[in-house]
């Protein structure tokens, strides 16, 4: 039973419970979006684009759903909303309560937690970077998707830029650079196309700067004897962005492993799960 059929049936049988139905579908989408992430897939921006297209299709047919989708996103991952984690910390949240609002599971290793958060923000980036003209699905009853507006009312590209700059201008936590890396691996190419290489070059200069490195070093545990310290992780972060801005030339390929092509164009057939 796909989400479209589920919502259609629910609207007829329990119309007064549609808010609950939206919540359940949105929560499950984010659960699926957070799974099966490897360092290599993060590096190449291999998000679950088929799930993105399905979510957008639901939002277009049922505009209220986008609000529930964002709510589920922010509950699962406070990094999805720049400033949210900082607001929790300003409210003197600490200990297990802080772990809960950070979305960290009990006894979850730092590397597993980070990978899950990276998967969620990567999926968010995939959602925001999707141009509506991409969406031309071959369904039995095709939706008029590519002539519709993106469900993000602010404007998806504006939201992409605001997301990255919001994290850079806000509280730099231990996780900030790696969250930005996962987001940019997915959205960087489209941001270059829509915002322009000049502005993106300025952004990458900041990300590769010594000042940003010092902030990350202060927030992280680079010098710790903990085997899960951030020293190697940050080296991989620097390598990622230095590669994208080598010799002051911007090179952000489309998301997806080079041997497999643009990941955004490979998963259209699975949109049939929407039904």
């Amino acid at each position: 039973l796909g989400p479209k059929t589920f919502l259609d049936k629910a609207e007829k049988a329990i119309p007064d419970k549609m808010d609950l139905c939206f919540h359940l579908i949105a929560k499950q989408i984010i659960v699926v979006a957070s799974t099966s992430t490897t360092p290599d897939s993060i590096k190449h921006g291999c998000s679950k684009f088929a799930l993105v297209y399905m979510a957008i299709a639901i939002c277009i047919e049922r505009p209220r759903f986008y609000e529930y989708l964002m709510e589920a996103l922010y509950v699962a991952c406070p990094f999805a909303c720049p400033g949210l984690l900082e607001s929790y910390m300003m409210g003197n949240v600490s200990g297990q309560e802080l772990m809960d609002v950070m979305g960290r599971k009990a006894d979850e290793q730092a590397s597993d937690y980070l990978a899950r958060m990276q998967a969620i923000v990567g999926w968010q980036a995939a959602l925001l970077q999707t141009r509506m003209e991409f969406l031309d699905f071959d369904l039995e009853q095709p939706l008029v998707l590519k002539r519709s507006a993106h469900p993000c009312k602010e404007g998806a590209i504006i939201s992409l830029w605001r997301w990255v700059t919001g994290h850079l201008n806000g509280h730099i936590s231990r996780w900030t650079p790696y969250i930005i890396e996962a987001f940019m691996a997915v959205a960087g190419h489209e941001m270059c196309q829509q915002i322009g290489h000049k502005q993106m070059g300025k952004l990458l200069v900041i990300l590769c700067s010594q000042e940003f490195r010092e902030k990350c070093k202060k927030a992280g545990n680079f010098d710790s004897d903990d085997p899960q310290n951030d020293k190697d992780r940050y080296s991989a972060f620097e390598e990622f962005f230095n590669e994208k801005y080598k010799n002051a030339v911007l090179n952000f390929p489309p998301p997806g492993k080079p041997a497999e092509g643009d990941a955004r164009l490979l998963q259209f057939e699975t949109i049939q799960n929407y039904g």
Side-chain angles (χ1 to χ4, degrees):
L1 186 67
K4 174 178 168 53
T5 303
F6 172 79
L7 291 172
D8 287 346
K9 289 180 177 294
E11 193 166 38
K12 293 178 180 177
I14 47 172
D16 57 326
K17 297 292 191 296
M18 288 304 292
D19 287 350
L20 175 60
C21 295
F22 286 149
H23 171 75
L24 292 174
I25 294 292
K27 184 177 180 180
Q28 187 57 34
I29 285 175
I30 302 305
V31 168
V32 175
S34 70
T35 60
S36 304
T37 300
T38 65
D40 192 50
S41 67
I42 291 169
K43 178 181 178 181
H44 293 294
C46 300
S47 188
K48 294 177 174 62
F49 285 94
L51 189 65
V52 165
Y53 303 147
M54 183 188 75
I56 289 177
I58 298 173
C59 292
I60 289 172
E61 190 169 71
R62 301 174 183 276
R64 289 176 55 220
F65 181 71
Y66 188 74
E67 177 184 338
Y68 290 86
L69 187 62
M70 292 299 100
E71 179 185 8
L73 190 69
Y74 298 157
V75 169
C77 175
F79 304 103
C81 179
L84 183 58
L85 183 57
E86 186 176 6
S87 70
Y88 289 145
M89 296 172 68
M90 290 175 65
N92 296 320
V93 177
S94 60
Q96 186 58 50
E97 188 179 3
L98 178 60
M99 297 282 279
D100 290 342
V101 298
M102 286 179 66
R104 190 166 178 177
K105 300 174 182 177
D107 301 323
E108 186 174 30
Q109 295 294 316
S111 57
D112 295 334
Y113 168 71
L114 177 58
R116 194 162 53 80
M117 295 297 103
Q118 287 179 309
I120 294 174
V121 298
W123 189 85
Q124 179 187 20
L127 179 76
L128 293 174
Q129 69 87 56
T130 295
R131 280 185 276 144
M132 304 310 292
E133 55 264 35
F134 288 170
L135 310 183
D136 189 10
F137 305 131
D138 183 19
L139 301 175
E140 291 181 5
Q141 295 181 329
L143 296 170
V144 187
L145 293 177
K146 63 180 183 176
R147 292 199 297 273
S148 301
H150 194 285
C152 178
K153 302 303 182 186
E154 179 185 37
I157 295 299
I158 293 174
S159 294
L160 288 171
W161 182 260
R162 191 186 299 279
W163 189 98
V164 179
T165 56
H167 276 291
L168 288 175
N169 291 325
H171 171 72
I172 302 297
S173 75
R174 174 186 179 183
W175 311 113
T176 300
Y178 322 116
I179 294 297
I180 292 176
E181 178 184 356
F183 190 90
M184 294 287 285
V186 177
H189 176 77
E190 192 64 24
M191 290 177 73
C192 288
Q193 300 299 309
Q194 301 296 322
I195 296 172
H197 283 57
K198 184 176 181 179
Q199 288 299 107
M200 286 294 290
K202 293 177 182 178
L203 189 63
L204 264 66
V205 166
I206 295 172
L207 289 167
C208 297
S209 69
Q210 183 64 26
E211 181 183 358
F212 185 67
R213 188 185 197 283
E214 289 303 316
K215 288 181 180 179
C216 295
K217 184 176 181 179
K218 183 178 180 180
N221 60 344
F222 287 18
D223 302 322
S224 168
D225 293 332
D226 184 340
Q228 294 202 50
N229 68 46
D230 294 329
K231 189 173 182 179
D232 291 342
R233 189 177 288 136
Y234 195 83
S235 294
F237 164 85
E238 288 187 309
E239 180 183 349
F240 174 84
F241 280 106
N242 285 328
E243 182 181 283
K244 298 294 181 290
Y245 198 58
K246 190 176 295 184
N247 299 321
V249 176
L250 200 60
N251 177 30
F252 250 113
K257 296 178 181 179
E260 298 174 359
D262 190 338
R264 300 173 298 176
L265 308 177
L266 301 177
Q267 303 184 51
F268 284 140
E269 66 276 8
T270 57
I271 192 63
Q272 291 176 356
N273 292 333
Y274 174 64

